[in-house]
Amino acid sequence: MQNLNRADVARMNSIYGYLPQLSASATYSEIDQEVVQSDNAVFNEGTANYPVTSLRVDLVQPIFNLSQIFNIQLQTTAQTVAEVEYIAAVQRVSFDIFVAYVDAAQARAKARSLTARAALLRSQIAAENTRVELGLDTAAVRNNYAVELASLSSEEAIEQARLADALAELSQLTGTTVTNIDTVTLPSGIRRAERSTSIAAGIAAAEDDNPALLATAISVVEAELSRRQAIAADFAPVLDAFASFEDETREGSRFGGGSQTRDTTVGLRLTIPIFNADGQGYRTAVETVDLRSSALEYFAIRRQLRSQITSTYERMSNLSDAIAQSQSAVSLASRNVTLERNRVASGESTELAVLNRQLSLNSAQDALEFQQLEYLKAWGRYQFLTGASLQARGL
């Protein structure tokens, strides 16, 4: 925002460069004169000491200054760049908040899944303890469950740390203290969103709407205007009209009497740069290099954007396939839990088998939720890359 404000001020200052330049000055001097030697008999009158008061007003009006004309266009373009960069910054922060929020949701969901799995393992360990006491099994199976439980506790601690980091990042990005988030799910309207677009459509949308790319493209125009301004400053003539008024009062002189004079001067001044006019060499060569750099940066960012859109689109497609497989796995695992419970009710199975089925269901649900949130992040990244606003999507 401050860059935008600065660009607006710079544009106004460039306009002032073509407006009249008016200045006034007042000077008070004490003059002590002594004629040491002169062939002029009048000048040999002797010495004098007197004050002088001078009032002066100067007015300069540029008539033709090609460099200033290009500077006005340059600063107007720079203001447009600042506006687009502001929009890009807003979208960047919005996307960063979106990603941090989903990361926090993933960490919390993973931690809860691990907690539920740990509870199932504790139930399995308790059941194995009973089997060991009855001599129906050895301690090896129970110990394996204990090892897995310890590993789950370690993973849960890591996910809690990830959650804390994501909440801290959200606090930093939003400027508020964030201690908790709402539950995040994949909206039904976003599922299989890649089917409604294509890589080519995404690239075309990015070239039209991605503010970061647009800002770089306009920067190329800005660099070209800067080069033209440099050419004008180095080689173009400048025509100014000027006027001055000076009122000078002398209280004395070498000739014994004081005087008051008023001088009015009006004229035209034509300045023609011939060689190294300002003693700084030629800006044109430097600005030409900057123009090439701006063009190279634009093409580099456009190539990078195309690559990112392609990879993000493919990631969305792969995640959609993975989600479909995970949904099938959850459905089958849930059906197995129901079947195993029915077998327990009929005396054909045990609660330990049900716990094993529930562990499989927990793992399948965990994978499905993770993939859905990963798809949500990929979808958000695709919107960001193509220049779509996440706020406009209600997120």
Side-chain angles (χ1 to χ4, degrees), residues 60-358:
V60 177
Q61 172 60 61
I63 295 177
F64 177 77
N65 190 329
L66 194 58
S67 176
Q68 285 292 345
I69 294 174
F70 279 126
N71 188 45
I72 294 173
Q73 297 178 3
L74 172 63
Q75 298 306 326
T76 301
T77 305
Q79 183 186 31
T80 303
V81 172
E83 291 172 350
V84 177
E85 286 179 343
Y86 173 74
I87 296 172
V90 170
Q91 291 199 4
R92 176 83 247 179
V93 171
S94 299
F95 174 68
D96 289 343
I97 291 173
F98 174 79
V99 171
Y101 202 99
V102 177
D103 284 341
Q106 278 184 314
R108 188 177 64 177
K110 183 69 173 179
R112 289 178 175 176
S113 175
L114 292 172
T115 300
R117 195 181 307 175
L120 292 173
L121 283 175
R122 290 189 184 94
S123 298
Q124 284 186 318
I125 291 173
E128 287 296 329
N129 282 332
T130 302
R131 289 173 59 84
V132 170
E133 291 174 357
L134 295 174
L136 299 176
D137 204 346
T138 64
V141 176
R142 180 191 60 189
N143 292 340
N144 286 335
Y145 286 145
V147 171
E148 188 175 351
L149 178 61
S151 177
L152 288 178
S153 299
S154 175
E155 290 183 35
E156 184 180 357
I158 292 174
E159 293 303 324
Q160 291 292 349
R162 281 186 57 208
L163 175 60
D165 289 342
L167 293 177
E169 185 175 2
L170 278 174
S171 299
Q172 188 272 329
L173 289 170
T174 60
T176 59
T177 301
V178 180
T179 58
N180 197 12
I181 59 170
D182 293 333
T183 300
V184 178
T185 58
L186 180 63
S188 57
I190 294 178
R191 296 174 184 173
R192 289 287 187 181
E194 71 277 4
R195 292 182 175 179
S196 61
T197 183
S198 65
I199 295 176
I203 292 174
E207 292 179 349
D208 290 337
D209 300 325
N210 185 288
L213 183 62
L214 291 176
T216 309
I218 301 174
S219 294
V220 177
V221 179
E222 181 184 10
E224 170 61 18
L225 287 172
S226 184
R227 187 183 70 88
R228 293 182 182 182
Q229 183 198 16
I231 293 174
D234 288 341
F235 304 108
V238 176
L239 180 63
D240 295 323
F242 64 90
S244 65
F245 171 80
E246 184 175 16
D247 186 311
E248 183 182 71
T249 301
R250 291 175 176 263
E251 300 298 335
S253 71
R254 286 179 292 185
F255 311 115
S259 65
Q260 181 179 6
T261 59
R262 290 179 177 173
D263 296 331
T264 302
T265 305
V266 177
L268 293 173
R269 179 172 54 245
L270 177 64
T271 304
I272 302 176
I274 297 177
F275 174 75
N276 194 24
D278 60 357
Q280 300 292 325
Y282 293 95
R283 287 177 46 204
T284 304
V286 176
E287 296 298 337
T288 301
V289 174
D290 289 344
L291 174 61
R292 292 171 184 166
S293 297
S294 297
L296 289 173
E297 182 181 5
Y298 167 74
F299 288 116
I301 291 178
R302 190 176 69 170
R303 284 194 301 270
Q304 181 185 27
L305 194 59
R306 288 180 173 181
S307 175
Q308 290 174 335
I309 289 174
T310 300
S311 63
T312 303
Y313 181 89
E314 291 174 350
R315 179 169 177 76
M316 290 169 63
S317 299
N318 293 334
L319 284 170
S320 290
D321 295 339
I323 288 171
Q325 295 297 325
S326 294
Q327 286 174 333
S328 298
V330 169
S331 178
L332 291 173
S334 178
R335 190 181 309 168
N336 287 340
V337 170
T338 302
L339 290 175
E340 202 65 43
R341 283 175 177 168
N342 291 337
R343 293 185 65 198
V344 170
S346 62
E348 299 177 9
S349 184
T350 63
E351 287 294 335
L352 190 58
V354 175
L355 291 175
N356 284 326
R357 300 297 186 188
Q358 287 178 332

